[in-house]
Amino acid sequence: MADAEQPPEPAAAAVAPEEIKAVPVRRPGRLIAGVLIIIVAAALVRSVATNPRFGWGTVGEYLFSPVVLDGLLKTIELTIIAMVVGILIGVILAVMRLSPNPIVVAASGFYIWLFRGTPVLVQLLFWNFIAALYPVVALGIPFGPALVEFNANNLITPFVAALLGLGLNEGAYMSEIVRAGLLSVDEGQEEAAKALGMRRMQTMRRIILPQAMRVIIPPTGNETIGMLKTTSLVSVLAYTELLYAVQLIYAANYKQIPLLIVASIWYLVLTTILSIGQYFIERHYGRGTARAIPPTLLMRIWQSFSTWRHTEVPVPEQRHGL
Amino acid sequence: MSEPMVKAEAVHKRFGRNEVLKGITLEVAAGEVMCLLGPSGSGKSTFLRCINHLEKINSGRIWVDGDLVGYSQRGDKLHEMRESDVAGEREQIGMVFQRFNLFGHMTAEQNIIEAPIRVAGTKRDVAKAEAKVLMDRVGLGDRLDAYPAQLSGGQQQRVAIARALAMKPKLMLFDEPTSALDPELVGEVLDVMRALAADGMTMVVVTHETGFAKEVGDTVVFMDDGVVVESGDPASVFDNPQHKRTQAFLSKVL
């Protein structure tokens, strides 16, 4: 639009303005807090390193022992399958909750009421003892003859009981998360898709769900981390996941503390990996939004250290999409 | 004379007990640009949304290109259409919204090719080539990879128009397309609409832009309180309004 012969643009001074070089404000409070924390941390580290009862040698001995690694694998397996079950049930319940059919809505509400209202440990025990309630599980016509029958004791192994207990319970929590996500997407999105002739399922899958993901992912990450830790409850069913594996070992050698440290180290490793994964998934689903995802805690700490060294921090370039 | 593109007969629409449309009867010929004017709450946007069945009407009939909207008539009984059949009818009717409603997680190009690929079954490379042509047509040929949040309101609305055109509609509905825009961005959207009208597209436009209605509209319909108060060619409605309510409205907006 602008013509070459127009009068010169206003402002835009010929010489670059002088940068302000001022003495920064002194902040003694920050300094004192920092020093105090460092002193306390040093004392902690010293005690951890020098107290022989931590048994760091034993920790190292068992950290990669086959029994522990096998338990670790089972913990991962349980977490993944239980979360998949939970998310599937959650999506189904959330869609049911938004249905125009009142019976469907009530069924979904009842499920959530039941499974969110009782402790997951109780539910796990219930599934474990389900054979006492229903000795035989039969598939067939309702109120009619059975076609296949199973002995519940053989069908419900500790692993299956664990999956049922964890997955069904998780479904109740996930449904609320998914529902909040679906409701967070502007109605105009659905209308625009409708106006283009898109079908209901297409609209849900291509337009609504991907945008709901931005709201669904962060709490789902938390749920996954929570699930990883909740799997330790399965130890009461004598299923050899990570915690029960170390319990078996310390029942034999009485080195409880070092072995609990072994379990804790592995839980921390896994939750750390999950947190990092969550960051990248969030960034993926955040594409197209003006507000970029805030940097992780580690990135923030790193940045503030670099502000100590240089006065000017280059703002990391935010890339949209790709 | 051939079949009108849109034909509405005694259309009534209630929200609860609130009757928003109280018997709208009108016709839009193929190639015609009809502008709906009126104070807010007069029912013009609701009527527009009834044309592609985003709102269900309570009584009356609407036909688009000879097909009954949202229902099928078998004998003397009216049957509600299945979801997918309604969607099929909507493919032929483009709509542009006041708040653009671009899909926020998709680039401009992805916004445009989504429906042609998923609904019309167009090949991806064909749809992409058409998207480029459409984006050139609305003056944004270099912004194919931009996300909606990276575009100005005027640019978003132009992408939204391109998205609607990608389905090759025979009718375009505009629901206050410039009301959410900064004044300096209104012009670029109206330019695109003007060009579209010149190409012979049938358009129904709910607008407050009297200048546009006067210049581009073939017919101007003035609505108030759920009824058509006055209609006719722009010159007669704007320069010589017959009805008191039209006069009162125009004296405020002109």
Side-chain angles (χ1 to χ4, degrees):
Chain A
M1 286 261 211
D3 211 324
E5 298 305 317
Q6 294 279 312
E9 295 265 305
V15 203
E18 198 186 337
E19 291 278 337
I20 292 181
K21 288 193 188 85
V23 180
V25 175
R26 297 288 160 208
R27 295 184 169 88
R30 285 189 192 178
L31 193 69
I32 292 167
V35 169
L36 276 179
I37 290 173
I38 288 174
I39 291 172
V40 171
L44 266 176
V45 169
R46 182 171 165 276
S47 122
V48 167
T50 56
N51 184 345
R53 288 176 210 176
F54 273 99
W56 291 109
T58 318
V59 171
E61 191 184 321
Y62 283 102
L63 195 56
F64 296 102
S65 81
V67 179
V68 169
L69 289 184
D70 182 62
L72 178 68
L73 215 63
K74 284 180 172 156
T75 287
I76 296 173
E77 189 184 18
L78 265 183
T79 306
I80 293 173
I81 303 180
M83 273 316 286
V84 169
V85 171
I87 290 170
L88 285 179
I89 293 177
V91 171
I92 294 168
L93 287 175
V95 174
M96 283 170 73
R97 203 75 189 274
L98 301 172
S99 155
N101 184 337
I103 295 176
V104 172
V105 176
S108 159
F110 176 77
Y111 182 101
I112 293 166
W113 173 77
L114 184 67
F115 282 91
R116 214 170 48 167
T118 52
V120 66
L121 182 55
V122 175
Q123 290 174 34
L124 281 168
L125 291 169
F126 243 109
W127 287 112
N128 197 39
F129 296 125
I130 197 75
L133 193 58
Y134 292 105
V136 174
V137 178
L139 287 180
I141 302 152
F143 305 110
L147 301 177
V148 214
E149 292 193 349
F150 302 97
N151 184 332
N153 261 327
N154 300 335
L155 191 68
I156 310 289
T157 60
F159 177 70
V160 175
L163 277 187
L164 285 171
L166 296 174
L168 297 185
N169 182 264
E170 186 58 32
Y173 286 93
M174 281 307 302
S175 79
E176 292 295 294
I177 291 170
V178 175
R179 192 169 72 106
L182 295 180
L183 291 178
S184 75
V185 180
D186 185 65
E187 269 182 305
Q189 298 287 308
E190 189 187 341
E191 280 195 346
K194 265 187 180 175
L196 285 165
M198 291 178 74
R199 273 53 172 178
R200 244 165 80 111
M201 287 315 290
Q202 282 178 329
T203 306
M204 188 49 98
R205 215 182 62 242
R206 298 281 309 166
I207 309 299
I208 311 286
L209 269 179
Q211 297 188 78
M213 283 309 228
R214 233 177 45 236
V215 174
I216 293 174
I217 291 287
T220 304
N222 285 340
E223 288 292 314
T224 310
I225 289 171
M227 176 62 78
L228 179 75
K229 295 179 296 175
T230 309
T231 55
S232 62
L233 289 181
V234 173
S235 59
V236 301
L237 307 185
Y239 181 71
T240 49
E241 44 67 64
L242 183 54
L243 181 61
Y244 195 62
V246 302
Q247 282 177 334
L248 285 180
I249 299 172
Y250 72 59
N253 67 8
Y254 300 109
K255 291 180 175 166
Q256 289 92 341
I257 296 294
L259 280 153
L260 287 174
I261 290 175
V262 166
S264 303
I265 287 173
W266 280 119
Y267 282 123
L268 278 172
V269 167
L270 290 181
T271 49
T272 307
I273 294 171
L274 285 175
S275 309
I276 295 170
Q278 181 181 358
Y279 171 74
F280 285 102
I281 296 175
E282 269 178 47
R283 209 168 63 162
H284 172 77
Y285 281 105
R287 70 196 192 278
T289 44
R291 243 190 318 164
I293 297 212
T296 57
L297 183 64
L298 272 177
M299 287 163 74
R300 269 174 41 211
I301 293 172
W302 174 250
Q303 271 176 17
S304 65
F305 271 112
S306 46
T307 40
W308 281 9
R309 275 183 279 136
H310 330 281
T311 33
E312 206 175 324
V313 212
V315 179
E317 195 190 335
Q318 298 296 353
R319 304 189 64 183
H320 292 267
L322 287 194
Chain B
M1 174 157 169
S2 67
E3 192 89 39
M5 184 56 82
V6 181
K7 187 173 165 198
E9 223 175 68
V11 171
H12 287 256
K13 170 71 191 171
R14 282 188 311 272
F15 290 111
R17 301 172 107 192
N18 180 20
E19 190 162 41
V20 186
L21 299 179
K22 302 172 179 168
I24 304 285
T25 298
L26 54 76
E27 281 184 15
V28 185
E32 182 180 335
V33 177
M34 174 183 280
C35 293
L36 297 178
L37 272 78
S40 41
S42 59
K44 44 194 198 315
S45 283
T46 304
F47 176 67
L48 195 75
R49 294 161 56 83
C50 289
I51 297 177
N52 66 355
H53 208 54
L54 281 181
E55 304 288 355
K56 264 188 196 168
I57 59 178
N58 295 103
S59 76
R61 300 273 192 282
I62 299 179
W63 292 266
V64 170
D65 204 14
D67 295 325
L68 201 54
V69 172
Y71 301 91
S72 56
Q73 183 126 25
R74 281 175 244 154
D76 55 353
K77 263 212 174 129
L78 216 51
H79 293 258
E80 214 173 315
M81 259 189 194
R82 271 185 317 200
E83 178 79 38
S84 57
D85 295 329
V86 176
E89 281 194 316
R90 287 191 185 119
E91 288 173 34
Q92 311 274 306
I93 307 172
M95 184 157 190
V96 175
F97 299 87
Q98 182 177 354
R99 291 180 52 244
F100 331 133
N101 295 351
L102 287 178
F103 304 135
H105 60 308
M106 297 180 173
T107 63
E109 182 184 57
Q110 289 167 340
N111 263 278
I112 295 172
I113 65 176
E114 178 69 14
I117 290 176
R118 306 276 156 187
V119 179
T122 312
K123 290 258 184 308
R124 177 169 288 268
D125 47 344
V126 176
K128 279 187 160 189
E130 287 172 354
K132 175 79 177 95
V133 173
L134 284 167
M135 285 289 273
D136 283 334
R137 202 164 144 196
V138 299
L140 291 169
D142 54 342
R143 301 308 303 273
L144 280 162
D145 293 326
Y147 282 93
Q150 296 166 315
L151 298 170
S152 74
Q155 291 171 331
Q156 287 189 54
Q157 194 62 298
R158 287 188 277 158
V159 173
I161 293 173
R163 177 177 71 174
L165 291 175
M167 289 299 283
K168 305 188 175 68
K170 49 193 178 190
L171 167 68
M172 286 282 285
L173 308 175
F174 292 85
D175 188 4
E176 301 196 26
T178 58
S179 297
L181 297 177
D182 292 342
E184 57 177 334
L185 302 179
V186 168
E188 61 189 63
V189 173
L190 292 183
D191 284 343
V192 170
M193 292 169 62
R194 207 170 276 136
L196 203 53
D199 284 349
M201 176 62 78
T202 313
M203 294 160 63
V204 181
V205 186
V206 171
T207 185
H208 293 296
E209 297 291 331
T210 46
F212 175 83
K214 215 176 208 170
E215 179 201 331
V216 183
D218 298 308
T219 323
V220 171
V221 171
F222 177 72
M223 281 178 67
D224 193 12
D225 201 23
V227 294
V228 173
V229 175
E230 195 164 345
S231 67
D233 61 285
S236 61
V237 173
F238 281 115
D239 301 334
N240 190 17
Q242 299 299 309
H243 204 283
K244 263 212 194 85
R245 278 191 279 178
T246 321
Q247 289 164 4
F249 178 75
L250 289 177
S251 72
K252 280 182 212 144
V253 298
L254 283 182

